[in-house]
Amino acid sequence: MPAKPELLILGDSHSIALKAGADMLGIRAEALHFSGSRWHEVKFTYGANGFEPRGTKAGVNQMRALRERLGVEDVFGMGVPVISTMAFHLGRLVPPFGWEGHQIQDEDAPFIDTGLVASRAFALDYVQHYRLRHIRVAKRLARSTDLTIVAPPPAFDRPNYDSMRAIISGLLTQAGVTVYDPREDLADTDGMFTPDMLEADGVHATAETGAKIIEAMRKRGLLRL
Amino acid sequence: MSKDRKSDNPYRHIAPRGFWRSAVSEPGLFGLSELWTSCWQLPADAMFATFGSCFAQHISRALISRKMNWLNAEPAPGRTPPELAQKYNYGVFSARTGNIYTAAQLLIWARLASGQIGPESVEYWTDDEGLVHDLLRPKIEPTGFASDKEAMASVASTARAFARCITETDVFVFTLGLTEGWINRKTGQSYSICPGTGVGTFDPEAHVFHNYTYPEIMRDLQAALDIMWDMNPDLRILLTVSPVPLVATASGDHVLVATQYSKSVLRAVAGDMARQHGAVDYFPSYEIIAAPPTRAAFFEPNMRGIARDGVDLVMRHFFAGLDLSGAARGRDNSTEARQQAEEEMAREDLVCEEMILEKFNAS
């Protein structure tokens, strides 16, 4: 049986950089990733054996492999700190919201004078509809382990991404889940990650950035490895 | 003078639909025909917008259910669950105006849409919890807006959508609902409901009851239509009068009497406006529900709500009278942006899946 991992990583494609970063830092980490679309579709559950992917072949296979490797059923409840990117999956949530040209009027943003405006109350209800189960599961996970959810890298300034990001962070925090926003420590003066911190797709963080995120979390005392 | 010449008079040349016996008594309620024939030949894919009092919602729904081109210029954001769309009053009218009960309020929306006035001209009210309500659409948000800025941005958004309903539709259907309203004597603001009845604080010094008269309604409606025709000279206006009686009257009259007065004035305005303009028509939804042949059968037991059967009958006459024989102009109400976003998400998803697969390859 391999040595007990020091860190568990759970999430969508954004969690890949975190795992790569952990590897770069020499942290013994195990990971379970499946795509944001499966997360969005709630292809997971929280049962007697803790968190489990369900209805996603990639997720189910990885879970089985992890259980075999680690020799425990409740992988994410084995007492190892967990960092996760769950609940955001903005790539599946924000584009449909904007299909008809809706924007959320944030208080500190310029007055919206084109297209349609959706209220923040509506946006909150919309997010809650699609993320209620994610937040419930995150809350349960947080009760059983040291969980920190990492917000996605601030990669671009497109309508509604920041608003939705803030709404989800707020809902997680209200539910008692610790959220770390890498923007606070690593973003440029414009609040965004610089292009060299991102993969060629302009969306996902690089392994080096993943390592920086973990380091920043350590400095803030969010990860005690 | 011969007997034959004496008996020749204009009524001899009137079609059977002009006589009560042959048009109403004999065919009965469900045999009524030719109640309304549209004076316009519309394209087969004519685009409609619907606004007005709550009865106008039935026209929206009927157009949608018949898969006709009903412009929803302010739809809910994509993938909004139906119950959430309903909670926030999306999809009720062609833009999120809420009920427009009076011609004075229609005029405000026309002015907002044309840019004659801006969203700052609307009155906003902050409740005890700090939430903001615009008094043009007091019930549009279930709890209110987060700030003045957000409320104003939302009014501006609806005004832009309302402008599209003027510039991009063939027929603007407007249901006149009330003559009674409340105005602010200090600012001139017209309210859709009396301040203090749910939203706002009633101020007897500022808020005064006003029962709009025929000349006032004609004036406001004409002014609204003039603005709309400036924006789209080809726009056709189809007026209807809501058969739904008043919930309450502040006129001092019995509510039944006040209702009849209100509906009579609105009916006269609609008829006269249609006679004055070729681009205005009147559809008799009021008569179909409220005239003697129904014996009030289409009213719910409270004698106010309109039963589904009544709405269905109104809409049958509406569609029977429409002339959609004109050539279609290839109007497509679908959104290209949605398709693009779907494709973008699919590509992004593929990238994400590939990243995850690649991770396994590496390990």
Side-chain angles (χ1 to χ4, degrees), chain A residues 13 35 37 62 91 96-97 99-100 102 107 109 113 115-117 119-121 125-126 129-130, chain B residues 75 77-81 87-88 141 147 149-150 157 160 335 338 341 345 348-349 352-353 360:
Chain A
S13 54
S35 78
S37 64
Q62 288 174 69
F97 188 88
W99 273 343
E100 308 288 352
H102 288 87
E107 211 48 35
D113 56 8
L116 300 174
V117 171
S119 68
R120 273 172 271 169
D125 276 353
Y126 185 95
H129 175 82
Y130 284 107
Chain B
R79 293 198 178 150
T80 295
K87 181 178 173 186
Y88 284 84
E141 289 273 316
S147 66
K149 185 178 184 179
E150 186 184 75
S157 166
R160 287 190 290 273
T335 55
R338 174 181 297 224
M345 282 201 305
E348 193 176 299
D349 213 29
C352 294
E353 295 282 13
F360 289 120

mmCIF file of all heavy atoms in Angstrom, chain A residues 13 35 37 62 91 96-97 99-100 102 107 109 113 115-117 119-121 125-126 129-130, chain B residues 75 77-81 87-88 141 147 149-150 157 160 335 338 341 345 348-349 352-353 360:
data_model
loop_
_atom_site.group_PDB
_atom_site.id
_atom_site.type_symbol
_atom_site.label_atom_id
_atom_site.label_comp_id
_atom_site.label_asym_id
_atom_site.label_seq_id
_atom_site.Cartn_x
_atom_site.Cartn_y
_atom_site.Cartn_z
ATOM 1 N N SER A 13 -11.721 20.403 -14.239
ATOM 2 C CA SER A 13 -10.456 20.564 -14.960
ATOM 3 C C SER A 13 -9.535 21.586 -14.273
ATOM 4 O O SER A 13 -8.315 21.527 -14.468
ATOM 5 C CB SER A 13 -10.726 20.974 -16.405
ATOM 6 O OG SER A 13 -11.552 22.123 -16.436
ATOM 7 N N SER A 35 -14.997 16.148 -15.478
ATOM 8 C CA SER A 35 -15.207 17.417 -16.186
ATOM 9 C C SER A 35 -16.279 18.293 -15.537
ATOM 10 O O SER A 35 -17.189 17.817 -14.857
ATOM 11 C CB SER A 35 -15.589 17.151 -17.635
ATOM 12 O OG SER A 35 -16.939 16.768 -17.705
ATOM 13 N N SER A 37 -18.683 19.716 -16.869
ATOM 14 C CA SER A 37 -20.061 19.453 -17.311
ATOM 15 C C SER A 37 -20.705 18.366 -16.453
ATOM 16 O O SER A 37 -21.887 18.433 -16.146
ATOM 17 C CB SER A 37 -20.108 19.094 -18.795
ATOM 18 O OG SER A 37 -19.419 17.900 -19.027
ATOM 19 N N GLN A 62 -11.981 6.381 -11.409
ATOM 20 C CA GLN A 62 -10.937 6.973 -10.570
ATOM 21 C C GLN A 62 -11.217 6.703 -9.091
ATOM 22 O O GLN A 62 -10.304 6.427 -8.310
ATOM 23 C CB GLN A 62 -10.884 8.477 -10.794
ATOM 24 C CG GLN A 62 -10.305 8.901 -12.115
ATOM 25 C CD GLN A 62 -10.433 10.407 -12.281
ATOM 26 O OE1 GLN A 62 -9.780 11.173 -11.594
ATOM 27 N NE2 GLN A 62 -11.290 10.828 -13.188
ATOM 28 N N GLY A 91 -17.873 27.575 -16.490
ATOM 29 C CA GLY A 91 -17.985 27.366 -17.938
ATOM 30 C C GLY A 91 -19.299 26.751 -18.351
ATOM 31 O O GLY A 91 -19.697 26.833 -19.516
ATOM 32 N N PRO A 96 -24.838 29.999 -20.521
ATOM 33 C CA PRO A 96 -26.291 29.995 -20.736
ATOM 34 C C PRO A 96 -26.982 31.216 -20.125
ATOM 35 O O PRO A 96 -27.919 31.757 -20.706
ATOM 36 C CB PRO A 96 -26.769 28.717 -20.025
ATOM 37 C CG PRO A 96 -25.564 27.869 -19.902
ATOM 38 C CD PRO A 96 -24.402 28.802 -19.791
ATOM 39 N N PHE A 97 -26.497 31.645 -18.992
ATOM 40 C CA PHE A 97 -27.092 32.825 -18.349
ATOM 41 C C PHE A 97 -27.041 34.032 -19.290
ATOM 42 O O PHE A 97 -27.941 34.866 -19.295
ATOM 43 C CB PHE A 97 -26.340 33.126 -17.046
ATOM 44 C CG PHE A 97 -26.981 34.189 -16.201
ATOM 45 C CD1 PHE A 97 -27.949 33.853 -15.272
ATOM 46 C CD2 PHE A 97 -26.623 35.528 -16.335
ATOM 47 C CE1 PHE A 97 -28.542 34.831 -14.484
ATOM 48 C CE2 PHE A 97 -27.214 36.511 -15.563
ATOM 49 C CZ PHE A 97 -28.175 36.160 -14.630
ATOM 50 N N TRP A 99 -26.958 33.895 -22.644
ATOM 51 C CA TRP A 99 -27.442 33.615 -24.007
ATOM 52 C C TRP A 99 -28.274 34.735 -24.602
ATOM 53 O O TRP A 99 -28.230 35.015 -25.784
ATOM 54 C CB TRP A 99 -28.300 32.341 -24.003
ATOM 55 C CG TRP A 99 -27.520 31.102 -24.178
ATOM 56 C CD1 TRP A 99 -26.247 30.978 -24.646
ATOM 57 C CD2 TRP A 99 -27.964 29.770 -23.870
ATOM 58 N NE1 TRP A 99 -25.867 29.653 -24.636
ATOM 59 C CE2 TRP A 99 -26.901 28.905 -24.178
ATOM 60 C CE3 TRP A 99 -29.146 29.241 -23.373
ATOM 61 C CZ2 TRP A 99 -26.986 27.527 -24.015
ATOM 62 C CZ3 TRP A 99 -29.234 27.872 -23.207
ATOM 63 C CH2 TRP A 99 -28.176 27.024 -23.515
ATOM 64 N N GLU A 100 -29.127 35.307 -23.777
ATOM 65 C CA GLU A 100 -30.035 36.340 -24.285
ATOM 66 C C GLU A 100 -29.465 37.738 -24.066
ATOM 67 O O GLU A 100 -30.167 38.721 -24.272
ATOM 68 C CB GLU A 100 -31.399 36.239 -23.570
ATOM 69 C CG GLU A 100 -32.022 34.845 -23.580
ATOM 70 C CD GLU A 100 -32.552 34.445 -24.957
ATOM 71 O OE1 GLU A 100 -32.570 35.297 -25.868
ATOM 72 O OE2 GLU A 100 -32.930 33.271 -25.109
ATOM 73 N N HIS A 102 -28.064 38.858 -21.070
ATOM 74 C CA HIS A 102 -28.243 39.383 -19.710
ATOM 75 C C HIS A 102 -26.909 39.658 -19.033
ATOM 76 O O HIS A 102 -25.959 38.888 -19.184
ATOM 77 C CB HIS A 102 -29.027 38.393 -18.841
ATOM 78 C CG HIS A 102 -30.475 38.304 -19.199
ATOM 79 N ND1 HIS A 102 -30.942 37.450 -20.164
ATOM 80 C CD2 HIS A 102 -31.556 38.961 -18.713
ATOM 81 C CE1 HIS A 102 -32.259 37.587 -20.261
ATOM 82 N NE2 HIS A 102 -32.651 38.499 -19.396
ATOM 83 N N GLU A 107 -22.571 46.630 -8.203
ATOM 84 C CA GLU A 107 -22.617 47.993 -7.675
ATOM 85 C C GLU A 107 -21.401 48.822 -8.089
ATOM 86 O O GLU A 107 -21.516 50.017 -8.353
ATOM 87 C CB GLU A 107 -22.743 47.930 -6.145
ATOM 88 C CG GLU A 107 -23.493 49.074 -5.521
ATOM 89 C CD GLU A 107 -24.826 49.396 -6.181
ATOM 90 O OE1 GLU A 107 -25.521 48.474 -6.647
ATOM 91 O OE2 GLU A 107 -25.162 50.595 -6.258
ATOM 92 N N ALA A 109 -19.611 48.324 -10.756
ATOM 93 C CA ALA A 109 -19.374 48.256 -12.206
ATOM 94 C C ALA A 109 -20.056 49.439 -12.899
ATOM 95 O O ALA A 109 -20.994 50.022 -12.356
ATOM 96 C CB ALA A 109 -19.924 46.940 -12.753
ATOM 97 N N ASP A 113 -25.650 49.862 -20.126
ATOM 98 C CA ASP A 113 -26.539 50.630 -21.005
ATOM 99 C C ASP A 113 -26.804 49.931 -22.339
ATOM 100 O O ASP A 113 -27.270 50.550 -23.293
ATOM 101 C CB ASP A 113 -25.999 52.050 -21.218
ATOM 102 C CG ASP A 113 -24.586 52.054 -21.758
ATOM 103 O OD1 ASP A 113 -24.090 50.961 -22.111
ATOM 104 O OD2 ASP A 113 -23.979 53.136 -21.824
ATOM 105 N N GLY A 115 -28.120 45.807 -23.954
ATOM 106 C CA GLY A 115 -28.575 44.451 -23.626
ATOM 107 C C GLY A 115 -29.556 44.428 -22.470
ATOM 108 O O GLY A 115 -30.220 45.427 -22.180
ATOM 109 N N LEU A 116 -29.610 43.294 -21.814
ATOM 110 C CA LEU A 116 -30.595 43.087 -20.753
ATOM 111 C C LEU A 116 -29.900 42.995 -19.393
ATOM 112 O O LEU A 116 -28.749 42.589 -19.312
ATOM 113 C CB LEU A 116 -31.390 41.807 -21.021
ATOM 114 C CG LEU A 116 -32.170 41.794 -22.339
ATOM 115 C CD1 LEU A 116 -32.813 40.423 -22.571
ATOM 116 C CD2 LEU A 116 -33.239 42.882 -22.361
ATOM 117 N N VAL A 117 -30.645 43.340 -18.392
ATOM 118 C CA VAL A 117 -30.104 43.315 -17.025
ATOM 119 C C VAL A 117 -30.896 42.315 -16.202
ATOM 120 O O VAL A 117 -32.132 42.308 -16.236
ATOM 121 C CB VAL A 117 -30.202 44.718 -16.381
ATOM 122 C CG1 VAL A 117 -29.849 44.669 -14.898
ATOM 123 C CG2 VAL A 117 -29.277 45.700 -17.115
ATOM 124 N N SER A 119 -31.374 40.954 -12.236
ATOM 125 C CA SER A 119 -31.070 41.437 -10.888
ATOM 126 C C SER A 119 -30.170 40.450 -10.155
ATOM 127 O O SER A 119 -30.117 39.260 -10.485
ATOM 128 C CB SER A 119 -32.363 41.644 -10.107
ATOM 129 O OG SER A 119 -32.975 40.393 -9.855
ATOM 130 N N ARG A 120 -29.525 40.956 -9.126
ATOM 131 C CA ARG A 120 -28.668 40.080 -8.316
ATOM 132 C C ARG A 120 -29.520 39.062 -7.567
ATOM 133 O O ARG A 120 -29.092 37.940 -7.332
ATOM 134 C CB ARG A 120 -27.834 40.914 -7.352
ATOM 135 C CG ARG A 120 -26.542 41.390 -7.999
ATOM 136 C CD ARG A 120 -25.817 42.362 -7.120
ATOM 137 N NE ARG A 120 -26.265 43.721 -7.403
ATOM 138 C CZ ARG A 120 -25.982 44.781 -6.670
ATOM 139 N NH1 ARG A 120 -25.264 44.644 -5.590
ATOM 140 N NH2 ARG A 120 -26.413 45.976 -7.010
ATOM 141 N N ALA A 121 -30.721 39.455 -7.196
ATOM 142 C CA ALA A 121 -31.609 38.497 -6.516
ATOM 143 C C ALA A 121 -31.938 37.342 -7.454
ATOM 144 O O ALA A 121 -31.932 36.169 -7.051
ATOM 145 C CB ALA A 121 -32.892 39.202 -6.077
ATOM 146 N N ASP A 125 -30.858 33.322 -7.074
ATOM 147 C CA ASP A 125 -31.821 32.210 -7.197
ATOM 148 C C ASP A 125 -31.391 31.225 -8.288
ATOM 149 O O ASP A 125 -31.533 30.013 -8.152
ATOM 150 C CB ASP A 125 -33.222 32.747 -7.528
ATOM 151 C CG ASP A 125 -33.986 33.178 -6.284
ATOM 152 O OD1 ASP A 125 -33.481 32.932 -5.167
ATOM 153 O OD2 ASP A 125 -35.081 33.759 -6.431
ATOM 154 N N TYR A 126 -30.896 31.786 -9.389
ATOM 155 C CA TYR A 126 -30.456 30.972 -10.528
ATOM 156 C C TYR A 126 -29.297 30.073 -10.097
ATOM 157 O O TYR A 126 -29.297 28.864 -10.349
ATOM 158 C CB TYR A 126 -30.031 31.921 -11.651
ATOM 159 C CG TYR A 126 -29.652 31.288 -12.974
ATOM 160 C CD1 TYR A 126 -30.585 31.168 -13.998
ATOM 161 C CD2 TYR A 126 -28.351 30.867 -13.230
ATOM 162 C CE1 TYR A 126 -30.238 30.634 -15.232
ATOM 163 C CE2 TYR A 126 -27.995 30.333 -14.454
ATOM 164 C CZ TYR A 126 -28.944 30.216 -15.457
ATOM 165 O OH TYR A 126 -28.592 29.687 -16.679
ATOM 166 N N HIS A 129 -30.358 27.361 -7.749
ATOM 167 C CA HIS A 129 -31.038 26.268 -8.439
ATOM 168 C C HIS A 129 -30.027 25.249 -8.968
ATOM 169 O O HIS A 129 -30.236 24.045 -8.852
ATOM 170 C CB HIS A 129 -31.879 26.813 -9.595
ATOM 171 C CG HIS A 129 -32.507 25.737 -10.432
ATOM 172 N ND1 HIS A 129 -33.670 25.104 -10.070
ATOM 173 C CD2 HIS A 129 -32.098 25.159 -11.595
ATOM 174 C CE1 HIS A 129 -33.963 24.185 -10.973
ATOM 175 N NE2 HIS A 129 -33.029 24.201 -11.916
ATOM 176 N N TYR A 130 -28.952 25.756 -9.557
ATOM 177 C CA TYR A 130 -27.988 24.850 -10.196
ATOM 178 C C TYR A 130 -26.881 24.350 -9.257
ATOM 179 O O TYR A 130 -26.180 23.405 -9.603
ATOM 180 C CB TYR A 130 -27.353 25.533 -11.415
ATOM 181 C CG TYR A 130 -28.306 25.559 -12.595
ATOM 182 C CD1 TYR A 130 -28.924 26.731 -12.993
ATOM 183 C CD2 TYR A 130 -28.607 24.384 -13.284
ATOM 184 C CE1 TYR A 130 -29.811 26.745 -14.060
ATOM 185 C CE2 TYR A 130 -29.481 24.391 -14.350
ATOM 186 C CZ TYR A 130 -30.087 25.569 -14.737
ATOM 187 O OH TYR A 130 -30.973 25.569 -15.782
ATOM 188 N N PRO B 75 -36.545 38.009 -22.455
ATOM 189 C CA PRO B 75 -36.764 36.681 -21.883
ATOM 190 C C PRO B 75 -35.924 36.483 -20.629
ATOM 191 O O PRO B 75 -35.038 37.276 -20.340
ATOM 192 C CB PRO B 75 -36.297 35.744 -23.001
ATOM 193 C CG PRO B 75 -35.246 36.536 -23.711
ATOM 194 C CD PRO B 75 -35.660 37.978 -23.623
ATOM 195 N N PRO B 77 -32.966 34.753 -18.500
ATOM 196 C CA PRO B 77 -31.671 34.222 -18.928
ATOM 197 C C PRO B 77 -31.795 32.759 -19.339
ATOM 198 O O PRO B 77 -32.703 32.043 -18.878
ATOM 199 C CB PRO B 77 -30.814 34.385 -17.671
ATOM 200 C CG PRO B 77 -31.382 35.586 -16.984
ATOM 201 C CD PRO B 77 -32.870 35.449 -17.204
ATOM 202 N N GLY B 78 -30.889 32.330 -20.208
ATOM 203 C CA GLY B 78 -30.945 30.959 -20.724
ATOM 204 C C GLY B 78 -30.977 29.922 -19.616
ATOM 205 O O GLY B 78 -30.348 30.097 -18.569
ATOM 206 N N ARG B 79 -31.702 28.853 -19.862
ATOM 207 C CA ARG B 79 -31.826 27.726 -18.928
ATOM 208 C C ARG B 79 -32.389 28.122 -17.568
ATOM 209 O O ARG B 79 -32.081 27.493 -16.550
ATOM 210 C CB ARG B 79 -30.493 27.002 -18.765
ATOM 211 C CG ARG B 79 -30.100 26.305 -20.049
ATOM 212 C CD ARG B 79 -29.059 25.242 -19.837
ATOM 213 N NE ARG B 79 -28.773 24.589 -21.119
ATOM 214 C CZ ARG B 79 -27.605 24.061 -21.442
ATOM 215 N NH1 ARG B 79 -26.621 24.091 -20.583
ATOM 216 N NH2 ARG B 79 -27.438 23.474 -22.600
ATOM 217 N N THR B 80 -33.209 29.158 -17.565
ATOM 218 C CA THR B 80 -33.901 29.493 -16.319
ATOM 219 C C THR B 80 -35.029 28.501 -16.116
ATOM 220 O O THR B 80 -35.855 28.315 -17.008
ATOM 221 C CB THR B 80 -34.474 30.925 -16.398
ATOM 222 O OG1 THR B 80 -33.395 31.843 -16.490
ATOM 223 C CG2 THR B 80 -35.322 31.260 -15.174
ATOM 224 N N PRO B 81 -35.117 27.857 -14.970
ATOM 225 C CA PRO B 81 -36.247 26.946 -14.740
ATOM 226 C C PRO B 81 -37.573 27.719 -14.781
ATOM 227 O O PRO B 81 -37.614 28.876 -14.353
ATOM 228 C CB PRO B 81 -35.997 26.403 -13.327
ATOM 229 C CG PRO B 81 -34.658 26.880 -12.921
ATOM 230 C CD PRO B 81 -34.217 27.979 -13.838
ATOM 231 N N LYS B 87 -41.471 33.427 -11.156
ATOM 232 C CA LYS B 87 -41.261 34.189 -9.918
ATOM 233 C C LYS B 87 -40.806 35.619 -10.223
ATOM 234 O O LYS B 87 -41.146 36.554 -9.520
ATOM 235 C CB LYS B 87 -40.216 33.459 -9.063
ATOM 236 C CG LYS B 87 -39.890 34.100 -7.740
ATOM 237 C CD LYS B 87 -38.866 33.256 -6.965
ATOM 238 C CE LYS B 87 -38.394 33.966 -5.712
ATOM 239 N NZ LYS B 87 -37.305 33.235 -5.044
ATOM 240 N N TYR B 88 -40.023 35.767 -11.307
ATOM 241 C CA TYR B 88 -39.475 37.085 -11.653
ATOM 242 C C TYR B 88 -40.226 37.730 -12.828
ATOM 243 O O TYR B 88 -39.725 38.661 -13.435
ATOM 244 C CB TYR B 88 -37.979 36.973 -11.938
ATOM 245 C CG TYR B 88 -37.169 36.839 -10.661
ATOM 246 C CD1 TYR B 88 -36.996 35.605 -10.053
ATOM 247 C CD2 TYR B 88 -36.619 37.952 -10.036
ATOM 248 C CE1 TYR B 88 -36.284 35.476 -8.871
ATOM 249 C CE2 TYR B 88 -35.898 37.839 -8.859
ATOM 250 C CZ TYR B 88 -35.730 36.592 -8.281
ATOM 251 O OH TYR B 88 -35.019 36.477 -7.109
ATOM 252 N N GLU B 141 -40.082 42.414 -9.249
ATOM 253 C CA GLU B 141 -39.116 41.560 -8.531
ATOM 254 C C GLU B 141 -39.799 41.075 -7.253
ATOM 255 O O GLU B 141 -40.450 41.872 -6.558
ATOM 256 C CB GLU B 141 -37.873 42.369 -8.154
ATOM 257 C CG GLU B 141 -37.001 42.737 -9.321
ATOM 258 C CD GLU B 141 -35.984 41.657 -9.671
ATOM 259 O OE1 GLU B 141 -35.355 41.107 -8.759
ATOM 260 O OE2 GLU B 141 -35.843 41.356 -10.871
ATOM 261 N N SER B 147 -30.262 47.858 -5.159
ATOM 262 C CA SER B 147 -29.849 49.275 -5.040
ATOM 263 C C SER B 147 -30.616 50.103 -6.062
ATOM 264 O O SER B 147 -31.237 49.566 -6.985
ATOM 265 C CB SER B 147 -28.352 49.408 -5.316
ATOM 266 O OG SER B 147 -28.105 49.068 -6.678
ATOM 267 N N LYS B 149 -29.184 51.870 -8.252
ATOM 268 C CA LYS B 149 -28.477 51.675 -9.524
ATOM 269 C C LYS B 149 -29.001 50.444 -10.244
ATOM 270 O O LYS B 149 -29.255 50.478 -11.456
ATOM 271 C CB LYS B 149 -26.976 51.526 -9.238
ATOM 272 C CG LYS B 149 -26.109 51.442 -10.478
ATOM 273 C CD LYS B 149 -24.639 51.357 -10.077
ATOM 274 C CE LYS B 149 -23.720 51.372 -11.276
ATOM 275 N NZ LYS B 149 -22.305 51.312 -10.866
ATOM 276 N N GLU B 150 -29.173 49.373 -9.496
ATOM 277 C CA GLU B 150 -29.673 48.147 -10.121
ATOM 278 C C GLU B 150 -31.112 48.325 -10.606
ATOM 279 O O GLU B 150 -31.463 47.870 -11.704
ATOM 280 C CB GLU B 150 -29.590 46.971 -9.141
ATOM 281 C CG GLU B 150 -29.971 45.660 -9.795
ATOM 282 C CD GLU B 150 -29.991 44.479 -8.823
ATOM 283 O OE1 GLU B 150 -30.928 44.378 -8.020
ATOM 284 O OE2 GLU B 150 -29.072 43.659 -8.890
ATOM 285 N N SER B 157 -33.145 48.500 -19.023
ATOM 286 C CA SER B 157 -33.118 47.242 -19.785
ATOM 287 C C SER B 157 -34.504 46.954 -20.369
ATOM 288 O O SER B 157 -34.646 46.603 -21.551
ATOM 289 C CB SER B 157 -32.676 46.112 -18.831
ATOM 290 O OG SER B 157 -32.923 44.854 -19.368
ATOM 291 N N ARG B 160 -35.297 49.234 -23.243
ATOM 292 C CA ARG B 160 -34.654 48.812 -24.504
ATOM 293 C C ARG B 160 -35.434 47.659 -25.143
ATOM 294 O O ARG B 160 -35.615 47.609 -26.355
ATOM 295 C CB ARG B 160 -33.194 48.387 -24.242
ATOM 296 C CG ARG B 160 -32.255 49.526 -23.963
ATOM 297 C CD ARG B 160 -30.805 49.074 -23.944
ATOM 298 N NE ARG B 160 -30.472 48.242 -22.806
ATOM 299 C CZ ARG B 160 -30.088 48.682 -21.607
ATOM 300 N NH1 ARG B 160 -30.006 49.981 -21.403
ATOM 301 N NH2 ARG B 160 -29.790 47.847 -20.635
ATOM 302 N N THR B 335 -32.288 32.526 -31.318
ATOM 303 C CA THR B 335 -31.147 33.394 -31.043
ATOM 304 C C THR B 335 -29.848 32.723 -31.472
ATOM 305 O O THR B 335 -29.532 31.620 -31.068
ATOM 306 C CB THR B 335 -31.065 33.745 -29.557
ATOM 307 O OG1 THR B 335 -31.048 32.523 -28.838
ATOM 308 C CG2 THR B 335 -32.233 34.586 -29.100
ATOM 309 N N ARG B 338 -27.320 32.061 -28.681
ATOM 310 C CA ARG B 338 -27.480 30.826 -27.914
ATOM 311 C C ARG B 338 -26.727 29.680 -28.599
ATOM 312 O O ARG B 338 -26.009 28.930 -27.949
ATOM 313 C CB ARG B 338 -28.967 30.482 -27.800
ATOM 314 C CG ARG B 338 -29.225 29.148 -27.149
ATOM 315 C CD ARG B 338 -30.700 28.860 -27.097
ATOM 316 N NE ARG B 338 -31.378 29.838 -26.268
ATOM 317 C CZ ARG B 338 -32.313 29.517 -25.363
ATOM 318 N NH1 ARG B 338 -32.654 28.271 -25.199
ATOM 319 N NH2 ARG B 338 -32.899 30.434 -24.650
ATOM 320 N N ALA B 341 -23.055 30.074 -28.135
ATOM 321 C CA ALA B 341 -22.642 29.756 -26.767
ATOM 322 C C ALA B 341 -22.639 28.248 -26.544
ATOM 323 O O ALA B 341 -21.751 27.716 -25.888
ATOM 324 C CB ALA B 341 -23.564 30.442 -25.777
ATOM 325 N N MET B 345 -19.413 26.158 -25.463
ATOM 326 C CA MET B 345 -19.387 25.307 -24.267
ATOM 327 C C MET B 345 -18.958 23.892 -24.634
ATOM 328 O O MET B 345 -18.223 23.236 -23.908
ATOM 329 C CB MET B 345 -20.757 25.269 -23.593
ATOM 330 C CG MET B 345 -21.047 26.508 -22.777
ATOM 331 S SD MET B 345 -22.315 26.218 -21.538
ATOM 332 C CE MET B 345 -23.640 25.597 -22.510
ATOM 333 N N GLU B 348 -15.291 23.895 -25.152
ATOM 334 C CA GLU B 348 -14.613 24.030 -23.866
ATOM 335 C C GLU B 348 -14.679 22.719 -23.091
ATOM 336 O O GLU B 348 -13.712 22.296 -22.474
ATOM 337 C CB GLU B 348 -15.266 25.154 -23.067
ATOM 338 C CG GLU B 348 -14.446 25.581 -21.883
ATOM 339 C CD GLU B 348 -15.090 26.760 -21.188
ATOM 340 O OE1 GLU B 348 -15.251 27.812 -21.824
ATOM 341 O OE2 GLU B 348 -15.445 26.604 -20.017
ATOM 342 N N ASP B 349 -15.836 22.095 -23.179
ATOM 343 C CA ASP B 349 -16.022 20.823 -22.497
ATOM 344 C C ASP B 349 -15.058 19.783 -23.039
ATOM 345 O O ASP B 349 -14.460 19.020 -22.304
ATOM 346 C CB ASP B 349 -17.472 20.366 -22.726
ATOM 347 C CG ASP B 349 -17.987 19.615 -21.524
ATOM 348 O OD1 ASP B 349 -17.512 19.901 -20.417
ATOM 349 O OD2 ASP B 349 -18.843 18.749 -21.715
ATOM 350 N N CYS B 352 -11.707 20.394 -21.687
ATOM 351 C CA CYS B 352 -11.625 19.951 -20.296
ATOM 352 C C CYS B 352 -11.495 18.434 -20.226
ATOM 353 O O CYS B 352 -10.689 17.903 -19.472
ATOM 354 C CB CYS B 352 -12.848 20.403 -19.516
ATOM 355 S SG CYS B 352 -12.936 22.193 -19.366
ATOM 356 N N GLU B 353 -12.312 17.743 -21.020
ATOM 357 C CA GLU B 353 -12.261 16.279 -21.028
ATOM 358 C C GLU B 353 -10.880 15.814 -21.487
ATOM 359 O O GLU B 353 -10.295 14.906 -20.918
ATOM 360 C CB GLU B 353 -13.323 15.705 -21.971
ATOM 361 C CG GLU B 353 -14.762 15.963 -21.559
ATOM 362 C CD GLU B 353 -15.234 15.041 -20.441
ATOM 363 O OE1 GLU B 353 -14.383 14.385 -19.819
ATOM 364 O OE2 GLU B 353 -16.444 15.022 -20.178
ATOM 365 N N PHE B 360 -4.338 11.301 -17.257
ATOM 366 C CA PHE B 360 -4.201 9.857 -17.047
ATOM 367 C C PHE B 360 -3.080 9.286 -17.907
ATOM 368 O O PHE B 360 -2.340 8.431 -17.469
ATOM 369 C CB PHE B 360 -5.511 9.127 -17.356
ATOM 370 C CG PHE B 360 -6.552 9.400 -16.312
ATOM 371 C CD1 PHE B 360 -7.745 9.986 -16.641
ATOM 372 C CD2 PHE B 360 -6.305 9.080 -14.989
ATOM 373 C CE1 PHE B 360 -8.686 10.253 -15.679
ATOM 374 C CE2 PHE B 360 -7.248 9.340 -14.019
ATOM 375 C CZ PHE B 360 -8.447 9.934 -14.362
#
